[in-house]
Amino acid sequence: MTKHLKEFQRLKNAGWSFYQRGDYRTAATHYREARLLAEAHEDHINRVEVLYWEGDSLAAAGDFDISLATLLEGATADPTRSNPVDIFNCWISAVDRCIKKKSYQYLRQHLEELHLFLEKYGLSRVIHKLYFTEADVELTRRNLEAARNKFLLSWETHIMRVPYYTQATHLYSLCYTLFLLRDEPSLSRWVKTIEEIDYELAQDRLKAKLARLMLCRARRFEGKEAKIARSVAKETMSQIDAMNRDTSYFEESLLRVFLRLGEFALVEQRLSKLGDNEFTLSVFYGDLALSRARVALGLPLVDDEWEAKVAPPTEITPSFEAAGHLEAAALHYQDAIRWAKDFEEKLETRWYTEDLQERLARVAALQSALARP
Amino acid sequence: MQQQMQTHFQGLIQLLAKNLYPEPGVYLRELIQNAHDAIQFRRGLDPELEGSIEIEASVKKGLLSFRDNGIGMDRSDIENFLSTIGASGTRQRTQELQSLSPDELVQTIGRFGIGFLSSFAAAARVEVTTRKLGSEVVLQWTSQGDGFYELTERSDIPFAVGTQIVLHLLPEKISHAEESFLRKLIRRYVDFLPFPISLVGRGVLNRMSAPWYEAEAQPPEETYKALERFIKERFGEHPLWVIPVSLKKPQVAGVLYITPNPTGGYQPPMVDIFQRRIGVRLEDTSLLPSWASFVRGLIDAPDFTPTAARDNIQQDSVYHEVRAQLDQLVRASLIHVQMTQPRAFREICLRHGGQLKSVALHDQEIFDALIEHIPFETSLGLLSLGEYLLTKESLEKTPLYLLSQQHPRALLELCQARGFLAVRCAHPLEEELISLFCARRPGLFEVVRPSQELEIMASAPEAARRLSGLVQRLSMVLRQRGLLHIKVEVRSFLPKHLESILLQSEAVEERKEKLKEMAQRLPARSLFGEIVQDSQEALEGHTATLYLNAECEAVGGLGGAPEHLLFGLYTVALLRAGGQLTKEQRALLIAQLREAMHAGKRP
């Protein structure tokens, strides 16, 4: 092995060890060094391989814009001088980063090209990644049944082929899709599967815990579940806090549990950890205000994401405070509808607006109950 | 029925000559080696003999001849050894002479009997004239390398005991008769043979010895100086440190040294391997430990077993033992030089610091011995952690600001002005090394990994108001020059003379440049064109911040300054940042200097 390859390997190994520890920023720095070294030696194969890991680490560290630019360099590399698998990895990850930003047609065009690319280079062993991204696109459009079917396919091909995305990656997304489909029996079955696997990465263990918490929400915290969920959620929170990465993905799921458990102060304090996605923030602020209104009105707490319909209250405790919360909730939901408009148009869906309109109807029902003499 | 295999003699010769040797002309080594062996045999019988090898060369005539005063050959020797492939005169004769002389007397080198025939790779015809010790008969052997030879008695010519080999060079090998070519080969392969190898009319070409062959013991300083001189003469380098080699078992003598030329860690260590004064493998890259890329040298290892072609040595247990002992020797020398010659050690660190740090990271022994002594770029200048600890007065943990290559170098100055200890790590391995040091020696430092905006810069609201006009003008000047992503802010920081510093991410700048290249390569309407454009727009939003120093008098006075001077606040900060300039930044810098020059011309 030549000297540069030894050093390249050392940097790559160090990058992987930081990646495993969850220190993604340091991992990205090592991968960048390795890539610069490969570049200096015109070593295209290794350059493109680490471009993927550099881009992935940057994304995990929350540097999404630089991550995309990095992945694009790998995605547009020459397949005759690099390993097509690495090009594919960069390409699919670049598409992943664009899901909410680009039109459905444009995304489909890339996904179709990716199918052709895999065929051309005989790369069926990594097709699960493509199925996963296709599922992700459908999930984002809330075309939930199509998403579920694709996630099942990605999981199945992943089991049959060499692992690339970790098992938890597929299973967690499948569980979330089943949650949105409100299919509690299937969710219960798959949560069992995700929990049975031994994981190497901390983030995978976290996904298994979050899937369990999702199931608690689906079961409406019956019996002792509220107590168990609270303790699991607190433990998960400290694990998330210890991670040196972008945790908005995990945070959203966790905050939903705390919201349902009525830990409003904690939710409010941690909302900044959701990142700067205005749509998500508006929905969350709306749900928080609506939940506070319910408590002020003496009503039981409701999981607004899980419940398809909420029956209008028969009896309430009059409260000025609740009126303020309801007004705020309505404003936040309307904001969210405005934010949703842009990506809904691109993704050819109306799911988000309709979902938010259902939330607004819940607000309106409480407002009219409050207005009743 | 058993049949004899057919041999294509000429083809075999060409094959041997072309494939066995690493560089052209190494057959000359073989011929000189044969001459050396012959002299050694004669010395076995006549210890007083002063051996000599004379070379005569004529480019014009295309002739190259080698004359030795060794033992010579008779008819039977010629038939047995010169005309039979694979028979080794040396081996057979050594057996014969073993009962007569001790091993060390017959220090012969040749073993395989194929070296002589390799001369046909360069010669169209070879003539060997020889007279054996104790015989009056002069024999002449001639061959064109085609499997046939003529052997005649030449009693008509006077010929002293010994052998002369004349090569009639092939037209394409005529340059082998050039003095410079011969000189180079002799210096490289047979420089230390203990008798003169002279080129007729030019004198002796070889040095005949090297410091480690000298029998008399010299004071260590003298030996060091002699080895240093040797390195300068042979390798043309002034060594940073000399490592004498004298291993007893297996027996190895020679010299290693630390090269003054930075190797970047990518060049392997190199050593010339000799066996009994004859170069076997030059510039070998596998015997020395691969971590010691900064080490070069030459060793003579008589216990090594050469391969058939004598272009390498066999990687047997002796080889591995020598390898392990040389590894230990280089380690011990590094530790020794650090302990006894701190200045020399610092010099080594300056040239090979990156490599030493990389070794320390993976080698506990080197780490323990050297980590406190390897200098880093710190806010107090080039300083080792040990040197800092010596100046430390309190027992409390010192905060150590670990700046990565993303941080501008100017932050070191800021830290220095505030009395903070900061280390700027130009490579991630330095960060790893310092973190490892702090983990293994807890209680000394508390590592602080600052964000881009350090607490060493205080906000200066009052000054910001006062300088708001300047900030506005400068922002406009930057925008006019296409620098849309640079934010200008006023802060207060030390040292006072620092006008401005620029905090930007090198990774972002690199990405912007790469995206620009991609955009040129990929049409906007292509599949990737759209995302590339989006990505470019997204990165435009990543601002760099140009901080103006409210403490600096010069900044306050720039309110009404012309544009090119205002722009200087950016270029000065850019250069201070210390990173690599992008093409765009270089172009802007040149434009600014031009503008300043032209402004100077105006009345």
Side-chain angles (χ1 to χ4, degrees):
Chain A
M1 198 189 272
T2 63
K3 200 79 188 164
H4 107 262
L5 285 178
K6 272 191 190 166
E7 178 63 3
F8 174 85
Q9 200 58 42
R10 196 196 70 75
L11 286 165
K12 205 176 88 173
N13 292 345
W16 176 237
S17 113
F18 282 109
Y19 189 97
Q20 275 177 310
R21 274 185 254 161
D23 186 350
Y24 298 97
R25 206 168 291 280
T26 315
T29 317
H30 281 79
Y31 285 129
R32 179 170 185 255
E33 279 296 316
R35 197 238 317 148
L36 291 174
L37 184 61
E39 255 171 36
H41 288 81
E42 296 187 5
D43 179 351
H44 300 288
I45 293 180
N46 283 322
R47 178 181 72 92
V48 181
E49 188 199 338
V50 279
L51 269 170
Y52 168 72
W53 287 105
E54 187 186 348
D56 193 64
S57 309
L58 285 165
D63 289 338
F64 299 110
D65 294 337
I66 314 179
S67 162
L68 177 60
T70 307
L71 292 166
L72 280 173
E73 191 192 339
T76 57
D78 179 356
T80 60
R81 296 167 81 195
S82 335
N83 187 341
V85 173
D86 298 324
I87 295 182
F88 168 78
N89 286 334
C90 291
W91 188 352
I92 194 87
S93 300
V95 172
D96 244 355
R97 312 252 169 276
C98 298
I99 291 180
K100 266 196 176 172
K101 294 177 192 157
K102 305 304 295 178
S103 76
Y104 181 55
Q105 286 311 316
Y106 184 74
L107 293 169
R108 282 279 3 135
Q109 208 183 330
H110 270 277
L111 295 170
E112 275 154 29
E113 287 292 330
L114 278 159
H115 271 291
L116 294 175
F117 186 85
L118 291 190
E119 228 166 85
K120 183 175 175 187
Y121 292 99
L123 299 175
S124 56
R125 67 181 185 279
V126 287
I127 200 161
H128 63 279
K129 293 186 81 171
L130 182 49
Y131 289 144
F132 183 87
T133 302
E134 285 183 315
D136 219 6
V137 170
E138 296 306 335
L139 173 64
T140 313
R141 304 174 65 219
R142 295 300 194 255
N143 185 3
L144 295 173
E145 290 190 1
R148 180 197 56 203
N149 296 344
K150 286 281 181 186
F151 277 129
L152 282 169
L153 199 55
S154 79
W155 164 246
E156 223 176 297
T157 42
H158 169 268
I159 289 293
M160 291 190 300
R161 312 284 177 186
V162 290
Y164 208 98
Y165 276 5
T166 62
Q167 304 196 52
T169 313
H170 300 267
L171 290 173
Y172 180 75
S173 294
L174 176 62
C175 289
Y176 183 48
T177 311
L178 294 170
F179 180 88
L180 290 177
L181 278 167
R182 302 186 175 99
D183 179 357
E184 197 256 318
S186 304
L187 177 63
S188 169
R189 206 168 54 245
W190 286 103
V191 167
K192 197 163 173 270
T193 311
I194 196 173
E195 283 182 328
E196 275 170 356
I197 298 166
D198 256 349
Y199 297 107
E200 196 186 327
L201 296 176
Q203 65 188 60
D204 287 345
R205 289 190 288 275
L206 207 59
K207 280 176 186 164
K209 277 191 185 157
L210 289 170
R212 160 61 54 185
L213 289 170
M214 227 183 283
L215 184 61
C216 293
R217 285 169 61 199
R219 287 177 177 162
R220 300 186 176 92
F221 300 101
E222 280 161 10
K224 287 182 182 171
E225 282 217 343
K227 204 174 168 190
I228 298 168
R230 196 181 299 272
S231 113
V232 174
K234 287 262 163 83
E235 193 189 314
T236 310
M237 185 174 76
S238 37
Q239 279 169 1
I240 291 178
D241 287 343
M243 291 177 100
N244 188 8
R245 64 164 287 156
D246 168 63
T247 51
S248 52
Y249 179 68
F250 302 121
E251 197 70 35
E252 193 178 338
S253 194
L254 182 69
L255 289 191
R256 286 263 159 223
V257 180
F258 284 128
L259 188 60
R260 174 61 181 77
L261 291 170
E263 301 259 10
F264 301 142
L266 181 67
V267 172
E268 196 158 37
Q269 184 199 325
R270 292 181 74 90
L271 272 175
S272 63
K273 292 179 185 277
L274 283 179
D276 54 5
N277 186 318
E278 300 284 0
F279 169 78
T280 313
L281 279 173
S282 303
V283 176
F284 236 104
Y285 273 117
D287 286 351
L288 178 63
L290 181 54
S291 299
R292 278 184 161 149
R294 284 192 186 110
V295 170
L297 292 169
L299 296 171
L301 283 164
V302 168
D303 191 322
D304 285 297
E305 203 178 26
W306 174 254
E307 305 298 343
K309 291 279 170 201
V310 179
T314 48
E315 206 178 316
I316 55 162
T317 314
S319 157
F320 282 119
E321 194 193 341
H325 288 315
L326 289 171
E327 205 175 309
L331 286 173
H332 287 305
Y333 289 143
Q334 277 151 5
D335 262 356
I337 289 174
R338 274 193 288 278
W339 289 112
K341 211 175 167 192
D342 180 44
F343 64 80
E344 275 191 329
E345 213 164 285
K346 283 179 189 156
L347 291 171
E348 301 174 21
T349 181
R350 287 271 300 157
W351 191 94
Y352 294 91
T353 303
E354 283 163 14
D355 188 53
L356 285 163
Q357 271 160 355
E358 166 57 29
R359 302 273 228 285
L360 279 170
R362 290 171 200 179
V363 172
L366 292 179
Q367 280 173 329
S368 63
L370 200 56
R372 275 200 297 268
Chain B
M1 192 177 75
Q2 240 185 5
Q3 287 192 16
Q4 195 175 6
M5 279 167 64
Q6 296 296 306
T7 311
H8 182 244
F9 185 82
Q10 217 166 4
L12 183 62
I13 292 299
Q14 293 300 321
L15 188 76
L16 283 173
K18 283 186 183 158
N19 298 308
L20 283 182
Y21 300 110
E23 67 178 304
V26 181
Y27 65 90
L28 297 174
R29 176 190 69 180
E30 299 296 314
L31 297 181
I32 291 174
Q33 185 174 320
N34 287 345
H36 161 271
D37 290 354
I39 294 168
Q40 292 291 17
F41 283 119
R42 189 170 172 189
R43 270 185 171 173
L45 305 169
D46 173 11
E48 299 301 309
L49 175 79
E50 289 201 357
S52 75
I53 299 172
E54 270 187 1
I55 302 172
E56 209 171 337
S58 166
V59 175
K60 224 173 174 181
K61 295 179 190 162
L63 289 176
L64 191 53
S65 94
F66 298 81
R67 174 76 165 96
D68 67 66
N69 60 351
I71 198 162
M73 288 181 278
D74 58 18
R75 188 176 288 273
S76 134
D77 292 334
I78 288 176
E79 280 172 358
N80 282 338
F81 309 133
L82 215 56
S83 312
T84 311
I85 293 182
S88 164
T90 308
R91 199 163 49 202
Q92 207 157 330
R93 280 190 189 159
T94 304
Q95 281 163 6
E96 283 168 18
L97 286 172
Q98 245 164 6
S99 57
L100 300 173
S101 38
D103 283 352
E104 60 269 30
L105 185 67
V106 192
Q107 289 184 339
T108 53
I109 308 144
R111 294 183 62 194
F112 299 96
I114 52 178
F116 164 73
L117 293 170
S118 68
S119 52
F120 285 108
R125 192 156 65 95
V126 178
E127 285 167 19
V128 179
T129 310
T130 182
R131 184 182 141 201
K132 193 161 183 175
L133 181 70
S135 166
E136 292 301 316
V137 181
V138 178
L139 294 169
Q140 196 166 58
W141 177 96
T142 314
S143 174
Q144 293 182 358
D146 51 3
F148 300 95
Y149 66 92
E150 272 177 37
L151 184 60
T152 48
E153 259 185 51
R154 294 293 304 268
S155 305
D156 55 319
I157 51 168
F159 197 84
V161 171
T163 303
Q164 181 180 38
I165 297 175
V166 180
L167 308 183
H168 295 260
L169 293 169
L170 291 164
E172 66 269 25
K173 304 288 181 184
I174 213 86
S175 61
H176 289 197
E178 276 174 11
E179 182 186 340
S180 59
F181 180 82
L182 291 165
R183 200 177 274 279
K184 186 181 147 208
L185 262 153
I186 283 164
R187 292 305 285 262
R188 273 166 77 76
Y189 286 96
V190 287
D191 204 16
F192 315 126
L193 284 185
F195 34 74
I197 302 170
S198 39
L199 183 62
V200 173
R202 293 291 177 181
V204 177
L205 299 183
N206 62 329
R207 70 170 74 230
M208 290 188 275
S209 188
W212 54 91
Y213 297 122
E214 307 296 334
E216 315 129 42
Q218 288 191 96
E221 310 84 66
E222 288 303 309
T223 308
Y224 189 95
K225 278 183 192 159
L227 289 171
E228 202 173 30
R229 269 196 307 277
F230 170 81
I231 291 162
K232 268 188 248 171
E233 284 167 25
R234 181 166 177 100
F235 298 101
E237 292 191 326
H238 189 101
L240 292 180
W241 189 251
V242 175
I243 308 170
V245 180
S246 172
L247 307 181
K248 299 290 173 236
K249 202 176 171 186
Q251 202 186 328
V252 181
V255 64
L256 299 178
Y257 69 95
I258 296 179
T259 172
N261 296 320
T263 62
Y266 306 127
Q267 286 171 25
M270 271 189 276
V271 66
D272 291 348
I273 302 173
F274 277 60
Q275 198 188 29
R276 299 185 194 282
R277 300 183 180 234
I278 299 255
V280 176
R281 183 170 176 81
L282 304 188
E283 290 159 14
D284 172 85
T285 54
S286 55
L287 180 66
L288 292 175
S290 61
W291 59 264
S293 69
F294 39 82
V295 177
R296 305 274 179 273
L298 185 152
I299 56 153
D300 189 334
D303 294 338
F304 277 161
T305 309
T307 55
R310 267 206 305 277
D311 66 329
N312 206 344
I313 40 183
Q314 288 182 18
Q315 296 200 358
D316 52 13
S317 58
V318 175
Y319 173 88
H320 290 293
E321 180 56 34
V322 170
R323 195 169 194 275
Q325 288 194 32
L326 290 177
D327 184 314
Q328 268 313 313
L329 178 69
V330 177
R331 270 166 206 282
S333 301
L334 277 174
I335 295 169
H336 174 75
V337 66
Q338 180 278 308
M339 287 168 76
T340 58
Q341 302 284 335
R343 279 180 66 183
F345 181 73
R346 176 159 281 234
E347 194 60 32
I348 294 170
C349 288
L350 288 178
R351 311 283 178 106
H352 307 293
Q355 189 57 16
L356 271 179
K357 285 169 188 164
S358 168
V359 178
L361 195 60
H362 299 98
D363 190 309
Q364 177 89 35
E365 188 189 1
I366 297 276
F367 179 90
D368 289 339
L370 303 183
I371 185 62
E372 280 193 19
H373 310 284
I374 300 176
F376 289 86
E377 187 186 2
T378 77
S379 50
L380 306 171
L382 198 65
L383 192 75
S384 71
L385 294 174
E387 283 169 326
Y388 178 79
L389 288 172
L390 282 177
T391 64
K392 197 180 154 187
E393 282 165 4
S394 83
L395 288 172
E396 277 176 30
K397 269 189 177 183
T398 308
L400 189 156
Y401 288 85
L402 210 53
L403 307 178
S404 75
Q405 54 179 350
Q406 306 289 343
H407 294 103
R409 188 164 272 123
L411 284 186
L412 285 176
E413 268 186 80
L414 269 64
C415 284
Q416 185 195 17
R418 300 286 296 269
F420 296 164
L421 174 66
V423 177
R424 187 169 183 272
C425 301
H427 193 282
L429 77 84
E430 294 190 318
E431 279 183 65
E432 283 177 58
L433 200 59
I434 288 182
S435 305
L436 191 65
F437 176 80
C438 295
R440 289 198 183 156
R441 316 254 171 105
L444 295 177
F445 295 107
E446 190 187 335
V447 173
V448 184
R449 291 172 192 271
S451 59
Q452 278 280 334
E453 289 188 39
L454 289 171
E455 56 268 38
I456 46 181
M457 285 193 293
S459 63
E462 189 58 38
R465 268 194 297 279
R466 185 165 38 86
L467 297 173
S468 63
L470 172 69
V471 170
Q472 268 178 16
R473 274 195 70 212
L474 180 54
S475 304
M476 194 188 69
V477 168
L478 293 173
R479 274 200 303 278
Q480 280 167 354
R481 284 159 168 82
L483 297 165
L484 304 174
H485 63 292
I486 295 179
K487 230 168 39 178
V488 183
E489 282 185 23
V490 176
R491 289 289 173 98
S492 171
F493 47 88
L494 297 174
K496 286 185 174 181
H497 65 81
L498 219 62
E499 304 86 1
S500 52
I501 66 165
L502 181 67
L503 294 188
Q504 63 177 359
S505 158
E506 227 178 87
V508 171
E509 296 305 310
E510 185 206 357
R511 279 291 136 220
K512 282 182 183 170
E513 198 144 313
K514 290 244 163 107
L515 282 171
K516 203 182 276 180
E517 285 166 22
M518 261 189 266
Q520 281 165 1
R521 186 158 48 87
L522 304 162
R525 286 192 176 174
S526 68
L527 189 59
F528 281 104
E530 213 176 304
I531 322 186
V532 168
Q533 210 175 333
D534 290 352
S535 191
Q536 276 184 301
E537 282 165 19
L539 281 192
E540 277 312 314
H542 285 251
T543 51
T545 310
L546 179 64
Y547 290 102
L548 306 184
N549 190 2
E551 302 289 324
C552 177
E553 272 180 39
V555 171
L558 281 172
E563 282 183 7
H564 69 272
L565 280 184
L566 278 188
F567 191 61
L569 284 168
Y570 165 74
T571 49
V572 160
L574 185 64
L575 291 173
R576 268 209 192 97
Q580 217 175 11
L581 296 183
T582 64
K583 272 186 220 159
E584 205 169 58
Q585 288 167 337
R586 269 198 300 274
L588 279 169
L589 190 56
I590 291 167
Q592 198 240 338
L593 289 171
R594 279 201 183 129
E595 199 180 334
M597 280 188 282
H598 289 293
K601 273 190 206 163
R602 286 183 213 126

